[in-house]
C-alpha cells in the first residue's frame, strides 16, 4: 500500500533508497562460478563497484512496488495532460510485445531470420502513410523530437541537393519547445512568427517573414491551443511559392484520424508520436517512437536502411545515395512499433476514425462544462484539447500552479500548465477519447469546486496539495546546489 | 476493438450539452475539401483474439534466442534477465505515467530515476549522469555536441574507426548539418585497438574531442592511458562509448581513466534484445560539465515539511524552457528501459554484476581459444577483449547455410562495415550460450 | 495511487462498486454479431442479465487497480502471518505457469498430447515424496483441508478393507480447525486430546484416549505453537500398537526440509500445502494445492487416475480397485503444481535445506527480540514460528486485537491472532526465511514501540488503526443482518 | 536459486543475538535419528535461466490450443480472455495477499469478493452466493452435504447420470464415508436429458435432493419444470450443477426455475484451461439457507466513521470457529480465480456476456448441422444444447490418427464414462473455433 502523508499516528517507515538498505555481500542473483579464467590484463580491471546495491530479490520488489504506489498513472487516475494524449494503453499490446518472437530477436540476425519483423515494419510504414496522407515513412526516430530533427535533415538534404542551401526555419510562437530546439540542432536559425489573438497563424504573418532564406515552416495542427489551423493550405502555398517546405508537428494527430489528412494540407514532412496517437505507454518518459512521413519527392532522402520487398521476401536496402544516413541504431524502438501496429490493426479504419471523433467530443464537452468558471483565451472551435487560463482565479491570487496542485487532492492529474507560452497561465486540457462522460463530469466538478475554493479560501488552495506523499517541493533549492546522485556521505 | 466507452446515449447527452446534434458538426469548421479525402483505407478492426492470433503468427516468422543459438553481439546482447524486472516495469503506475512534471504524484518515477543516475555514476566511475537518452548512438552524438559546446571554437572531432559503425554514421548524420564541424576518422591497429599514435599526431588545439569505443566494436578493450595523455596535450576531451555496459563491472571504469564524457547503450542491463530497441542511452560526465548536459536530470530536495523528495532540475538547459538555445531537443526519452536497468542492477548488485561479467569474460575467452585451437580459425585481432571477438572465417556466404540448418548464428560478418576485413566474423559469447551450444558451434566450424 | 484516510482536505472520490458506475449499453468486450441463429427454445432462454456491469476496459482496470492499492501483500509489506508461511512468491514461477504449453492445455486431450504435463506431475509426486519421506503422493487435493479429507478417506478405506471400521479421530487441542472439520466430514467423531503446559502432546495423554475405536491421530509437527513434537515417534507407537494410523498435518513442513522427514516419524499419511512451503502465491485466499503423501501400504487407495510411466510414455491408470475415487475434477490445481515444481527445481536439495534452516533462524531471532516485552506461553525451543500472548499488555487493557490493529499503522501485517485456541490472546508470528534481518529488526522495534504505547497511551492503541483506508469495521453489524450482495435498492 | 537473503555476517549476528554459534544448534533438540536421515536426495538448485529453459522444454511437450484445433469441452472451455484480466490478477497486491483476515488492509480483496458474490447471484438468478469453493465437483458435493444439513432425516440423494461423470465420482467419494447417505442414479432419456419420470417416481420423503447438470454433461439443456414439480411433491431440494456458466448469460437461470442450490465450475469465465485447474467452484442458494452455506461469505458494514467497508462474515459456520461442527472444512479456496472471473464479467458486462453466449450457441449449432448434413454423422441426442453436443463416430480409435495428424482434437469419446455410448464423441464449439477450423473438422470427418 502506498506511503502517504506522514502523521503522528502514521509510523510507516520512510522509504530508503536502494543504496540505503541491504547488507554487505547480499545479492538477488545466483550464478555458479565459471571455471577457467579470463586473459584481461589486471591493469584494465577494477574492483567490485563501490556503493552498488546489496539487496535481495524480494527487497527489490518491495522497494519498487512501494515506489510505484507514489505515482499517478493512466490506470489509476484521469490524466488530462494537454498535448500528451494520455489515452488508455491497451493491455493486449503489452502481451504481444512480449512474445519471444519479438522480444528475443537480434537486430544483426540475417534478414531471412527476421522476416516477421521486417514484414511488420514495412506494413506499419504503409499504415502510417495512409493515416497521415503521406507517401513514405521511416520508423527510425526514437521519439517526436528525433523525428523533428530527422525531418529537418531531410529538408536540408533536399534543398542542398537542389543547390539551394537555406538558413532559417519559421516557428510559430505557439510551437512546442522541441521545434525550435530541433531547428537549431539541425543548424538552422529560428524565426518566430506570432499567432493571432485566437492563437491561429495567418498567411499574412507568414508572408511577412517568408523569403528565400527560409528552408521551412514548422507548424502544429491542430495547434497547441487545440485549434485547427484552418489557413494551413494558404500558408503552405505561401511557403511553397518561396521555395520553402512545410513541416507538420504531428503530435496532435489524434485529432485528425479520418477527419483530415496532413498530406492533403500541403504538408511535405511530418512526424507522428506513436506514444500519443497510437496508444503506446509513456513509461514515465519513454520509450516512444517518432516516425517521419514525407511526400514522394523526399523519399530518397530517408534514413537507411530501407525495408523493401523482393519477391516474397523482405530485405534491407542501405544503398540510397541521397539518404541523410542513420538517425539511430538498428531499427528504432521496435518494441514500441509492435505495440502501435497492434493498436492499429485492433481498431482498424473504423476504430481510428471513431477514436479521433470521440477525442473531439470529450474535449468539446469539457470545454463547455468549464467555460463558465475559467477564462478561454481562444474562442475558435476546439479539437481534441482546449486551453484555459487562470485569469479569473488570479483575482484572488490563485494561479494555474495552485489549481494544478489542488487538483491532486481530488485524485486527478492536472492538465499541462503554462504551455503554450503565448497563453499566460495556460491550463491545457486533453481528455482523450478513452475517458467516460462520468469521468469528465467528475473532473469538471473538481475544477469548479476549486474555482469556488479560490474565492472562498484562496490561501487554502495555494497551500495544496494535502494528500500526496510529499507536498510542494523546493525546486529552487534543487537547482541551486544540484544533488544529482546518492553518495555514502549522505545527501 | 474499440477503446472508446461512449454509448449512443452518452454521445447524445454530450452533444446536447455542447449544443450540437451530430458528431460531424464537431468537424464542420474544417475545410470540406480535407474532410472528403480523409477516409482511412485500412481493414476494419479486429477482436482481441484475432489480433493475438495474427501477432503470434508474425512473431513466429522470426528466429528467437529461445529456439536458436545466437553468437551475436555488436551492440545488442542476450543476457539473463530476472523475471522480477518485467514484473516491476509492467506495473501500470510506472508504465502508464508521463514524464514526471508533477513531482508530488511522481515520486515513484523520480526516485527511481535518481537511483538510476547514481547507478550509472557508480558503474562508469563518473561524477554525474543524466536520466538517460534514446540509445547509445544518439548518446555518442550528443556527447560530441556537448564537447563542441564546452570547447567552443574547437571544430574538429576525432572518431575511432573501431567505434560501432552505426554510431559513427549517426554521429555523422548529426554533424553533417552543423557545417562548422569536421569529423576525422582514427584508424585501428592490428591489435584491434584505436591507433594512439595517430591521435597523438592528429589531436591539436582545434580538436574538441576524441571518441572511442570502450570496449570497442571489435570487443577490444582500449588502453585509454595514451589517449588520455594525447587529449591532455591537445586540450581535447576524451569521450568513451560503451555498447556492453556489463563489461564495466569488470573493467577499469571510464572515470578511473580520467574520461570526460562516458556514454553508451544500456540494453544489456536488463532489457530484452527486441530487434535492437527500445533500450536506452546512458550519459555521464565530469561534474564541471553538469550545466551543459543534454537530457533530464533528477535532483534531491525537500518539501515544506522537510520531507526528502526528488524533482526534475536544471531544466533551464532544456527545450521546454530554453527552446532554440537548449542543450538538446530531447523530450520523451526511454525512462521505462532505464527503470528496467535500475531494477536489474539492484537485483544483481555488487556481487551479481561482478559474477555475471566474470562468467561472460571466462566463457568468451574459453570459446575463442577452442575455436582457434580446435576449429583452426585465425584471430583477426590480438588485443584484450571482454565477451566478443573477431575471427577469420573464409567463404562465409557458402558456409552460413550449414550453420543456419543447425539453428546457429555464429556471429556477424564485419565486411558489411569494414571492406578491409572481408573474412572476419564478430563472435559474441555470453552466459546465455551454454556449454553444449559452444560445443556445437565448434563442431560446426570443424565440419567443413 | 491508493485511496486512504478521507479527510477534509482529501477530495478523492470514494470508490464505487462496479455496479455503481458505468453507463447503460457500455461494454469492454467486442465481438461481431454471429450470423445464423441458435435453436434453443425461447422458453429456455433469459433476457440480458439484470444489474450486470456496464463499464469499459479502462474503467475496469482503474477500478481493480485502485482496489489493489487497498491491500497489504507480501510484495509491499512484511506479512508474518503465523501458520500461513507468507514467504516470497518467486516471479519466475508466474512466468513459467503462464507458458501456453501449460496454460492452454485441455485436460481431456489424449495422454499422448499432454506428455509434458504428465511428466511434470509424476516428477512432482516423486519430489514431494522424497522431501517428506513418504512412498507415494497424490496431487489431486485443491488445498490442505481437502488433503486432510482425502487422507482420512484413505485411512478409512484401508481400515474398512481390513474389516476394522473405526469411528473416531484423535485431534489435539492445538490443531487447526480444518482437522476436526475434516474428520467430521469424513464421518468420524472427534476426540480432543490436550497438550501439556508447553503445548506439546505427551504419549501418556494419547495412551488414555487411544483404543481400538480410534482410526487415527491427527498431529501437526511442528505444532501450531511452532514447537517440535519431540515425542511424535513414541506417540505414533501408541497409536500403531492399537491398530490406528497417524496423520500428519504438513502445513508446517517449511520447518522440516532437510531437518527431519515426517516419513521417519511414524507418520502414515500427510498433506502438504504447496501454497505455504512451496512458495505458490496465496492469491487472497487461494488457489493452493494440498498433495497427500502416504506410506506404501496405502498406495492402492490413492485417488484415480494415477499417472504411470509405460516405457518412455506417460499414461493414466484409473483401474485401481481399492481407490477412494476422485476427490476433485481432472488433475487438481495444475497451474499451482507447475509453480511448486518450478520452485523445487530452482532451489534444489541444497536450497530447500537452506530455506528451512533460515526459517528457523528468523523465527528464533524474532522470538529473542520480543520475549522481553511479550509473554511466551511455551519455553520449548521454537522452530519456524513462535507464539506470544497479550498477557503483559492486558494489564493496561490492551489486547492482542489492539496490538494487531496498531501494527497496521507501522506498515506491518499482523501475526495470526487468537490461534492456537489453547493460548489465550495468542500472537502467532511466522517470519519465513525470505525476510531480512533488517526487516525483522524493524518489526521487533514496532512491536516494542506498541508495548510501550500500551503503557503510556492504552486508549490510543485501542483506537488503532489510523492510517488504513477504513478503520475497524463493525463485524457484529455485518453478521446481524447480513448484506451479502449489492442490489439496486442500495446497500 | 536462493531466496534467502542471509549473508554470512547476518547469520553470525543473528546467531549471536540468539546466543548460539552454529545454525545446526537450532535443530539439535530434534532427535538425531531423524536428522541423520533428513538429507534430501534431489538435484542441486538451478539458475533462473536454466529453470526457464527446462520448463519451456516441458511445456513444449504439450499440445496447446494455440497450435491445435481443440473441440474439447466436457467441463473445461477455451474462451476469449481479455488481456486485462491477467494484468489485474498478476498485481502483487492481489496475488500475494492472504485470505482477508485483517479487513482494514484487505478492502481490495474483500470488495472484489463482494462484487463476485453479486455477479454470481445475478448470473444464476439466485439470492445468495458465497465467495467460491475449490471446483465444480466439490461444489456439487458440498451442495449435497448442505441439502443433507437442511433436510435432516432425509438420507437419499438422486443424481442424474447425465451429470459430469467426474463430479458424480467426487460426490460418491464425499458420500461414501457418510454411511447414512444413499446415492441413487437417475437415468437419461434419448433426448440426452435427465429422466423426469424416473424422478417423479423415485423422489419421495426420504429424498434430500435431486442433482442435475444445467446444461448437463452432454451439453443438453434440461427442462427443469418437471424436476421442480417432482421435487416439490417430494419436498426435496433441486440442485443444479453448471460446468459452462457462460451459458447462463443466454439460458433461463436456475433461480428462475426455482432451483434451491445452484453450483458449478467457473473456469469458463476468464480462467485459462490449465489442464483443468485452478478454476473455482461457485455456490449459490436461496436466502433462507444462508447460515448453512459452506465456505466464505463477505458482507457489507461500516467503520466507526461510517465509511462503507467489507468483512468476512457469518464465520460461525466455518471450521476455524466451529471446528468439528462447521458447515464445511474449506479454508484456502480459489480466490484469485474468482477475482479473474470478476474482472472478466466486469469487462464483458451485460452486453458482452450475452454476445459471447450467442456466438457460442450459433457457432455450435451451425457446426453440428454441418457435421450431420455434410459429414453424415448421426446425432446421439435430440435435446436442445448450448455449445457442446454428442455425435456418433464409429471406429474412433482407427480414425483419431488422421485427426491428430491435422492437429485436430475433434472431441472427447464418451465411452470411457458411458459404456452404453460406445461410438459417441462429445464435441464442443466455442468462439475460439474459427470458420476455417470448423471447415477442416468437417472435411476431416468426410475424408474417411
Ligand atoms: C506538440 C508537441 N511537439 C513535439 C513533442 C515532442 O515529442 P516527443 O516527446 O515524443 O519527443 C511533443 C511532446 O510533448 C508535443 O506535445
Ligand atoms: C496448521 C494448518 N492446518 C491446515 C490448514 C488448512 O490448509 P488450507 O488452507 O490449505 O486448506 C492450515 C491453513 O491455514 C493450517 O495452518
Amino acid at each position: 500500500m502506498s506511503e502517504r502523508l506522514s502523521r503522528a499516528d502514521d509510523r510507516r517507515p520512510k522509504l530508503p533508497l536502494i543504496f540505503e538498505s541491504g547488507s554487505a555481500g547480499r545479492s538477488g542473483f545466483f550464478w555458479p562460478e565459471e571455471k577457467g579464467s579470463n586473459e584481461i590484463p589486471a591493469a584494465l580491471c577494477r574492483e567490485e563497484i563501490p556503493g552498488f546495491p546489496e539487496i535481495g530479490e524480494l527487497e527489490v520488489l518491495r522497494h519498487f512496488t512501494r515506489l510505484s504506489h507514489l505515482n499517478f498513472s493512466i490506470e489509476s487516475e484521469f490524466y488530462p495532460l494537454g498535448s500528451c494524449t494520455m489515452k488508455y494503453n491497451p493491455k493486449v499490446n503489452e502481451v504481444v510485445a512480449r512474445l519471444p518472437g519479438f522480444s528475443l530477436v537480434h537486430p544483426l540476425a540475417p534478414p531471412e531470420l527476421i522476416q516477421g519483423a521486417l514484414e511488420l515494419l514495412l506494413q506499419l510504414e504503409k499504415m502510417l502513410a495512409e493515416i497521415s496522407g503521406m507517401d513514405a515513412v521511416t520508423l527510425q526516430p526514437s521519439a517526436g523530437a528525433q523525428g523533428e530533427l530527422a525531418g529537418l535533415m531531410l529538408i536540408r538534404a533536399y534543398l542542398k541537393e537542389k543547390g539551394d542551401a537555406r538558413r532559417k526555419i519559421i516557428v510559430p510562437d505557439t510551437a512546442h519547445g522541441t521545434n525550435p530546439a530541433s531547428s537549431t540542432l539541425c543548424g538552422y536559425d529560428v524565426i518566430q512568427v506570432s499567432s493571432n489573438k485566437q492563437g491561429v497563424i495567418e498567411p499574412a504573418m507568414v508572408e511577412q517573414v517568408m523569403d528565400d532564406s527560409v528552408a521551412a515552416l514548422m507548424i502544429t495542427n491542430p495547434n497547441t491551443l487545440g485549434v485547427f489551423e484552418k489557413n494551413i493550405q494558404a500558408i503552405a502555398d505561401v511557403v511553397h511559392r518561396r521555395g520553402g517546405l512545410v513541416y507538420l508537428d504531428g503530435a496532435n494527430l489524434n485529432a485528425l484520424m479520418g477527419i483530415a489528412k496532413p498530406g492533403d494540407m500541403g504538408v511535405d514532412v511530418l512526424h507522428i508520436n506513436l506514444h500519443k496517437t497510437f496508444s503506446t505507454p509513456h513509461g514515465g518518459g519513454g520509450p516512444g517512437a517518432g516516425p517521419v512521413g514525407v511526400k514522394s519527392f523526399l523519399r530518397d532522402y530517408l534514413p537507411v536502411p530501407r525495408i523493401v520487398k523482393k519477391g516474397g521476401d523482405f530485405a534491407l536496402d542501405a544503398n540510397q545515395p541521397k539518404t541523410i544516413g542513420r538517425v539511430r541504431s538498428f531499427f528504432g524502438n521496435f518494441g514500441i512499433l509492435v505495440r502501435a501496429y497492434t493498436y492499429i490493426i485492433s481498431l482498424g479504419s473504423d476504430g481510428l476514425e471513431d477514436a479521433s471523433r470521440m477525442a473531439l467530443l470529450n474535449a468539446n464537452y469539457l470545454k463547455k462544462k468549464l467555460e463558465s468558471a475559467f477564462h478561454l483565451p481562444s474562442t475558435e472551435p476546439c479539437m481534441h484539447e482546449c486551453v484555459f487560463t487562470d485569469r479569473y482565479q488570479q483575482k484572488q491570487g490563485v494561479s494555474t500552479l495552485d489549481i494544478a496542485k489542488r487538483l491532486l487532492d481530488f485524485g486527478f492529474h492536472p492538465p499541462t500548465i503554462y504551455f503554450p507560452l503565448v497563453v499566460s497561465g495556460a491550463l491545457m486540457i486533453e481528455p482523450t477519447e478513452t475517458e467516460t462522460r462520468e469521468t469528465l463530469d467528475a473532473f469538471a466538478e473538481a475544477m469548479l469546486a476549486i474555482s469556488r475554493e479560490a474565492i472562498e479560501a484562496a490561501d487554502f488552495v495555494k497551500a495544496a496539495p494535502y494528500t500526496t506523499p510529499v507536498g510542494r517541493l523546493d525546486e529552487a533549492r534543487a537547482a541551486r546546489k544540484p544533488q544529482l546522485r546518492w553518495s555514502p556521505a549522505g545527501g | 476493438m474499440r477503446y472508446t466507452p461512449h454509448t449512443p446515449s452518452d454521445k447524445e447527452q454530450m452533444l446536447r450539452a455542447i449544443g450540437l446534434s451530430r458528431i460531424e458538426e464537431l468537424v464542420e469548421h474544417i475545410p470540406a475539401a480535407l474532410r472528403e479525402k480523409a477516409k482511412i483505407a485500412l481493414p476494419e478492426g479486429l477482436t482481441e483474439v484475432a489480433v493475438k492470433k495474427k501477432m503470434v503468427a508474425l512473431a513466429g516468422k522470426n528466429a528467437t534466442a529461445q529456439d536458436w543459438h545466437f553468437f551475436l553481439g555488436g551492440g545488442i546482447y542476450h543476457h539473463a534477465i530476472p523475471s522480477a524486472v518485467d514484473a516491476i516495469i509492467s506495473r501500470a503506475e510506472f508504465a502508464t505515467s508521463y514524464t514526471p512534471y508533477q513531482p508530488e504524484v511522481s515520486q515513484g518515477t523520480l526516485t527511481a530515476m535518481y537511483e538510476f543516475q547514481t547507478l550509472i555514476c557508480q558503474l562508469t566511475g563518473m561524477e554525474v549522469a543524466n536520466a538517460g537518452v534514446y540509445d547509445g548512438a544518439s548518446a555518442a552524438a550528443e556527447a560530441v555536441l556537448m564537447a563542441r559546446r564546452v570547447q567552443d571554437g574547437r571544430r574538429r572531432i576525432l572518431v575511432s574507426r573501431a567505434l560501432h559503425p552505426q554510431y559513427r554514421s549517426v554521429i555523422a548524420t548529426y554533424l553533417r548539418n552543423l557545417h562548422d564541424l569536421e569529423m576525422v576518422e582514427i584508424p585501428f591497429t592490428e591489435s584491434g585497438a584505436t591507433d594512439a599514435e595517430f591521435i597523438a599526431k592528429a589531436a591539436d588545439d582545434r580538436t574538441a574531442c576524441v571518441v572511442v569505443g570502450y570496449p570497442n566494436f571489435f570487443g577490444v578493450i582500449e588502453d585509454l592511458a595514451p589517449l588520455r595523455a594525447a587529449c591532455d596535450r591537445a586540450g581535447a576531451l576524451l569521450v568513451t562509448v560503451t555498447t556492453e555496459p556489463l563489461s564495466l563491472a569488470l573493467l577499469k571504469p571510464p572515470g578511473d581513466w580520467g574520461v570526460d564524457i562516458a556514454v553508451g547503450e544500456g540494453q544489456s542491463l536488463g532489457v530484452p534484445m527486441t530487434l535492437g530497441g527500445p533500450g536506452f542511452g546512458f550519459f555521464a560526465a565530469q561534474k564541471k560539465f553538469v550545466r551543459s548536459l543534454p537530457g533530464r536530470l533528477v535532483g534531491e530536495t525537500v518539501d515544506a515539511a522537510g520531507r526528502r523528495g526528488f524533482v526534475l532540475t536544471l531544466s533551464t538547459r532544456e527545450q521546454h524552457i530554453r527552446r532554440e538555445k537548449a542543450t538538446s531537443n530531447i523530450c520523451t526519452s526511454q525512462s521505462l528501459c532505464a527503470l528496467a536497468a535500475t531494477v536489474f542492477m539492484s537485483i544483481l548488485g555488487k556481487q551479481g554484476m561482478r559474477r555475471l561479467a566474470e562468467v561472460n569474460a571466462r566463457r568468451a575467452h574459453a570459446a575463442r581459444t577452442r575455436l582457434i585451437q580446435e576449429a583452426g580459425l585465425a584471430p583477426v585481432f590480438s588485443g584484450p577483449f571482454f565477451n566478443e571477438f573477431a575471427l577469420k572465417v573464409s567463404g562465409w556466404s557458402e558456409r552460413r547455410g550449414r550453420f543456419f540448418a543447425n539453428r546457429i548464428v555464429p556471429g556477424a560478418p564485419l565486411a558489411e562495415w569494414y571492406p578491409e576485413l572481408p573474412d572476419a566474423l564478430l563472435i559474441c559469447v555470453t552466459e546465455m550460450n551454454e556449454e553444449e551450444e559452444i560445443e556445437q558451434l565448434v563442431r560446426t566450424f570443424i565440419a567443413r
Side-chain angles (χ1 to χ4, degrees), chain A, chain B:
Chain A
M1 252 158 75
S2 96
E3 323 297 308
R4 291 179 140 270
L5 294 172
S6 71
R7 305 161 17 160
D9 53 17
D10 181 349
R11 297 291 302 270
R12 279 161 304 141
K14 296 275 145 293
L15 274 182
L17 295 173
I18 47 173
F19 311 100
E20 296 167 338
S21 52
S23 174
R26 192 180 295 159
S27 166
F29 185 73
F30 293 81
W31 201 284
E33 177 159 15
E34 184 87 353
K35 58 180 163 24
S37 66
N38 73 65
E39 296 140 23
I40 303 170
L44 296 179
C45 293
R46 81 187 295 173
E47 294 307 308
E48 281 183 348
I49 307 165
F52 234 54
E54 301 188 277
I55 49 188
E57 186 165 302
L58 174 56
E59 288 171 273
V60 172
L61 281 163
R62 268 191 200 150
H63 176 76
F64 289 100
T65 301
R66 289 170 175 174
L67 283 186
S68 75
H69 290 154
L70 305 180
N71 276 4
F72 270 21
S73 73
I74 295 176
E75 270 173 47
S76 42
E77 285 82 21
F78 177 47
Y79 214 120
L81 202 60
S83 208
C84 301
T85 316
M86 298 295 278
K87 62 170 67 175
Y88 171 48
N89 309 141
K91 290 295 179 191
V92 62
N93 301 0
E94 299 305 308
V95 172
V96 163
R98 285 165 168 81
L99 291 169
F102 293 132
S103 62
L104 296 183
V105 177
H106 197 287
L108 295 183
E112 63 252 58
L113 300 186
I114 52 172
Q115 287 291 300
L118 297 179
E119 181 180 347
L120 182 150
L121 292 169
L122 191 56
Q123 282 187 27
L124 181 57
E125 285 182 2
K126 293 207 165 76
M127 291 169 168
L128 293 174
E130 168 60 23
I131 294 166
S132 61
M134 305 305 282
D135 300 321
V137 169
T138 175
L139 302 172
Q140 236 181 59
S142 311
Q146 200 177 35
E148 295 172 17
L149 179 60
L152 293 171
M153 287 171 168
L154 293 166
I155 290 169
R156 186 160 193 127
Y158 166 77
L159 291 173
K160 192 135 161 254
E161 172 86 11
K162 286 196 0 188
D164 181 12
R166 297 180 174 219
R167 299 189 328 280
K168 306 186 202 137
I169 301 287
I170 301 174
V171 179
D173 53 7
T174 50
H176 190 266
T178 50
N179 292 189
S182 300
S183 304
T184 308
L185 192 53
C186 193
Y188 284 112
D189 300 331
V190 175
I191 7 176
Q192 182 164 303
V193 56
S194 343
S195 48
N196 66 18
K197 269 171 251 53
Q198 295 295 341
V200 176
I201 305 299
E202 286 167 18
M205 299 164 164
V206 177
E207 196 81 60
Q208 285 168 24
V209 289
M210 184 66 206
D211 62 32
D212 55 20
S213 71
V214 172
L217 163 76
M218 287 186 99
I219 188 166
T220 306
N221 199 15
N223 64 27
T224 59
L225 279 88
V227 174
F228 188 84
E229 295 281 359
K230 52 179 183 290
N231 307 317
I232 186 162
Q233 279 158 301
I235 292 169
D237 292 344
V238 171
V239 175
H240 287 148
R241 228 182 297 110
R242 297 284 174 80
L245 275 61
V246 175
Y247 181 99
L248 182 107
D249 178 332
N252 294 340
L253 188 63
N254 204 48
L256 300 178
M257 294 185 292
I259 294 169
K261 294 183 179 180
D264 298 329
M265 303 174 190
V267 170
D268 304 296
V269 190
L270 57 65
H271 80 259
I272 301 168
N273 310 64
L274 298 187
H275 44 295
K276 298 181 181 198
T277 308
F278 296 98
S279 84
T280 74
H282 283 77
V292 169
V294 298
K295 286 299 175 66
S296 49
F297 69 93
L298 290 170
R299 182 185 264 115
D300 296 349
Y301 301 86
L302 291 171
V304 282
R306 298 290 298 154
I307 295 156
V308 294
K309 189 162 186 186
K310 294 211 183 106
D313 298 346
F314 299 89
L316 297 175
D317 178 359
N319 175 18
Q320 300 279 346
K322 298 183 175 179
T323 180
I324 59 167
R326 280 191 165 276
V327 298
R328 70 154 279 164
S329 53
F330 306 113
F331 300 92
N333 283 337
F334 178 71
I336 302 303
L337 303 174
V338 171
R339 289 170 171 86
Y341 180 94
T342 306
Y343 178 75
I344 293 172
I345 65 169
S346 297
L347 265 61
S349 52
D350 52 328
L352 295 171
E353 292 173 9
D354 173 62
S356 283
R357 283 168 170 77
M358 293 306 109
L360 266 59
L361 180 62
N362 281 1
N364 281 276
Y365 181 70
L366 257 189
K367 179 183 170 195
K368 191 72 183 182
K369 292 212 136 201
L370 295 177
E371 63 191 6
S372 63
F374 293 88
H375 167 251
L376 261 181
S378 172
T379 58
E380 291 279 317
C382 91
M383 296 287 283
H384 67 303
E385 64 191 356
C386 54
V387 174
F388 289 93
T389 85
D390 58 3
R391 181 181 298 177
Y392 304 159
Q393 291 69 30
Q394 279 290 6
K395 298 200 193 73
Q396 284 76 31
V398 170
S399 71
T400 284
L401 184 69
D402 302 325
I403 296 165
K405 297 308 182 190
R406 182 57 180 147
L407 266 173
L408 301 173
D409 293 325
F410 286 75
F412 293 108
H413 194 284
T416 292
I417 55 177
Y418 299 111
F419 178 73
L421 306 177
V422 294
V423 176
S424 99
L427 282 154
M428 183 194 218
I429 306 174
E430 181 182 12
T432 84
E433 71 278 9
T434 57
E435 296 296 332
T436 65
R437 180 173 51 79
E438 307 91 275
T439 298
L440 303 181
D441 289 342
F443 176 75
E445 277 166 36
M447 288 290 285
L448 298 176
I450 292 171
S451 74
R452 285 191 301 274
E453 286 182 346
I455 294 163
E456 299 151 9
D459 292 344
F460 179 71
V461 176
K462 294 167 71 167
Y466 300 95
T467 58
T468 48
V470 292
R472 294 194 198 190
L473 290 159
D474 185 342
E475 306 202 349
R477 169 194 167 123
R480 211 177 319 108
K481 37 185 284 299
Q483 184 61 258
L484 306 176
R485 60 168 290 185
W486 174 85
S487 53
Chain B
M1 278 303 298
R2 289 292 170 91
Y3 298 114
T4 41
H6 304 73
T7 66
S9 93
D10 289 334
K11 294 182 195 176
E12 198 209 301
Q13 291 178 57
M14 293 170 78
L15 282 170
R16 199 174 325 110
I18 301 169
L20 303 176
S21 52
R22 293 173 305 100
I23 295 291
E24 287 315 299
E25 292 173 31
L26 290 167
V27 297
E28 272 167 4
H29 64 285
I30 292 171
L34 291 176
R35 282 183 282 128
E36 281 149 16
K37 290 183 282 178
K39 268 217 124 321
I40 298 172
L42 287 177
E44 293 259 300
L46 302 171
T47 63
E48 185 176 329
V49 170
V51 167
K52 261 199 228 131
K53 189 163 185 161
K54 203 171 146 77
M55 298 309 286
V56 165
L58 259 182
K61 298 185 196 166
N62 301 318
T64 75
Q66 216 171 60
D67 310 326
W68 282 64
H69 309 306
F70 288 159
F71 293 90
L72 293 169
I76 294 295
Y77 303 88
H78 185 36
H79 284 304
I81 304 177
S83 304
V85 174
D86 194 52
I88 290 299
I89 68 167
S90 305
R91 289 185 62 84
E93 297 92 328
F94 285 124
T96 74
S97 54
Y98 200 74
T99 302
Y101 288 140
Q102 295 289 340
E104 300 85 350
V105 291
S106 310
Q107 286 300 301
T109 296
L110 286 161
T111 307
M113 285 175 154
Y114 186 78
E115 292 174 333
F116 170 80
Q117 290 174 179
T118 305
L119 289 164
I120 294 298
C121 287
Q122 294 169 333
L123 184 64
T124 57
M126 304 297 287
E127 293 168 338
V128 292
N130 73 9
V133 295
Y134 300 134
D135 68 339
S138 62
E142 293 273 13
V144 168
L145 296 175
M146 177 171 140
R148 167 170 171 260
R149 279 195 296 280
V150 300
Q151 293 270 77
D152 60 8
R154 293 173 176 248
R155 293 284 169 252
R156 203 150 199 234
I157 314 292
L158 303 191
V159 179
S160 167
R161 181 164 173 77
L163 175 67
H164 194 299
Q166 294 192 352
Y167 291 27
R168 279 186 283 129
S169 66
V170 170
I171 294 173
T173 307
Y174 270 68
L175 296 193
R176 186 170 298 109
N177 305 310
L178 305 173
H179 27 69
D180 55 355
L181 284 184
E182 172 201 10
M183 176 165 159
V184 177
E185 189 168 273
I186 317 166
F188 54 82
T189 66
E190 74 294 327
S191 75
T194 305
D195 187 338
E197 273 140 41
F198 179 96
I199 296 174
K201 287 197 221 70
D204 58 18
D205 57 10
R206 288 163 305 159
T207 308
C209 65
V210 173
V211 185
V212 296
Y214 184 75
N216 68 27
F217 187 65
F218 305 132
V220 171
I221 306 159
E222 303 271 0
D223 174 359
L224 299 178
L227 279 60
R228 176 70 271 176
C231 287
D232 287 341
R233 279 194 300 278
L237 300 187
L238 178 57
V239 177
T240 55
V241 182
T242 301
T243 58
E244 172 48 300
L246 178 63
S247 68
L248 299 184
L250 183 62
L251 304 181
K252 187 170 167 180
D256 292 12
W257 289 105
V259 165
D260 298 287
I261 307 174
V263 302
E265 167 63 51
Q267 174 273 329
S268 105
L269 302 172
V271 182
M273 298 185 289
T274 326
L275 203 73
F280 64 92
F282 62 86
F283 198 111
Q286 292 181 17
K287 194 161 194 162
K288 60 176 185 253
F289 299 130
V290 66
R291 286 170 198 275
S292 308
L293 285 177
R296 299 223 153 79
L297 286 168
V298 173
E300 182 186 321
T301 186
V302 294
D303 70 4
R307 286 171 297 198
R308 176 169 72 178
F310 302 93
V311 293
L312 293 175
T313 190
L314 300 184
S315 31
T316 49
R317 298 164 301 110
E318 295 186 70
Q319 44 75 23
H320 63 280
I321 309 282
R322 260 302 187 65
R323 300 180 72 83
E324 64 267 27
K325 299 199 180 46
T327 56
S328 164
N329 68 332
I330 192 166
C331 181
T332 293
S333 182
Q334 312 269 129
S335 275
L336 201 65
C337 298
L339 174 63
T342 306
V343 178
F344 176 87
M345 290 188 272
S346 301
I347 293 175
L348 271 74
K350 195 185 268 189
Q351 287 193 351
M353 286 285 284
R354 180 60 165 220
R355 169 62 57 92
L356 190 59
E358 263 297 351
V359 170
N360 273 257
R362 291 181 183 182
R363 202 169 284 192
H365 283 76
R368 180 169 181 270
T369 307
R370 290 194 60 186
L371 287 167
I372 292 171
Q373 292 174 356
E374 300 175 33
L377 300 181
V380 176
F381 301 115
S382 58
F385 65 96
F386 174 61
N387 66 358
E388 52 192 330
F389 50 85
L391 294 178
K392 277 208 173 51
V393 176
S394 50
W396 168 240
S397 41
E398 301 79 61
R399 295 172 75 176
R400 62 207 292 269
R402 183 186 304 119
F403 284 91
F404 296 172
N406 299 346
R407 298 187 154 242
I408 300 173
V409 183
L414 288 174
E416 179 186 344
W417 308 288
Y418 299 92
E420 69 269 39
L421 302 171
D423 298 336
L425 209 60
L426 182 64
I427 299 171
C428 177
V429 178
T430 77
E431 78 281 3
M432 303 300 276
N433 300 109
E434 295 177 353
E435 216 62 23
E436 316 85 83
E437 287 182 48
I438 294 168
E439 182 60 39
Q440 265 201 59
L441 176 71
V442 173
R443 268 197 267 90
T444 316
F445 267 117
I446 292 172
R448 69 163 316 179

